[in-house]
Amino acid sequence: QVQLMESGGGVVQAGDSLRLSCAASRRTFSRDAIAWFRQAPGKEREFVATIARASSTLYADSVKGRFTISRDNAKKASYLQMNDLKPEDTAIYYCAARDTILTAPYYTAIHDYGAWGQGTQVTVSS
């Protein structure tokens, strides 16, 4: 079972940037699809972005054009670059992983992922 650990959260002002990191322990990380989800206070956890094995990406409409997901298989890491942050981006951000095949579709549902990190808090003040 892969272990995931997020880092890079913090308190920033609207318009600022943050880069979140997700470190994975699994030896076969390169075969995983990786996703970032977030959960704001009082709201359900929601999909933010995913990167497939072949490094194609998909984003939620709310972050498209502002966030960029990437991966470094050699470092077994994924990153979420967040630019032009808004107060509504305030949430706990989680990375998730699942084994997949090269031709798999994008996975965007919580139940698609079996491995989760503990989350990192991002707070954006206006």
Side-chain angles (χ1 to χ4, degrees):
Q1 177 75 347
V2 63
Q3 291 185 331
L4 304 171
M5 181 174 294
E6 304 91 340
S7 61
V11 180
V12 297
Q13 293 188 331
D16 286 350
S17 298
L18 275 177
R19 187 194 194 210
L20 304 184
S21 298
C22 174
S25 63
R26 185 145 71 186
R27 183 171 52 87
T28 56
F29 175 81
S30 62
R31 297 210 304 257
D32 287 341
I34 306 297
W36 288 87
F37 289 77
R38 66 187 182 185
Q39 188 165 17
K43 294 187 177 181
E44 294 186 350
R45 194 171 298 190
E46 64 175 6
F47 167 78
V48 174
T50 185
I51 184 164
R53 278 181 58 174
S55 294
S56 56
T57 58
L58 181 72
Y59 297 91
D61 288 344
S62 59
V63 307
K64 200 173 296 182
R66 299 188 297 121
F67 290 12
T68 302
I69 187 173
S70 61
R71 65 189 299 158
D72 184 334
N73 290 337
K75 295 183 178 179
K76 297 181 186 178
S78 174
Y79 307 98
L80 187 68
Q81 177 67 43
M82 306 186 295
N83 298 330
D84 189 23
L85 283 161
K86 306 177 185 300
E88 51 263 41
D89 295 319
T90 294
I92 299 174
Y93 284 72
Y94 300 90
C95 68
R98 63 162 291 155
D99 191 20
T100 186
I101 60 176
L102 198 58
T103 56
Y106 290 115
Y107 298 104
T108 62
I110 293 171
H111 62 75
D112 287 330
Y113 293 87
W116 292 83
Q118 293 300 305
T120 185
Q121 176 71 46
V122 172
T123 302
V124 184
S125 61
S126 57

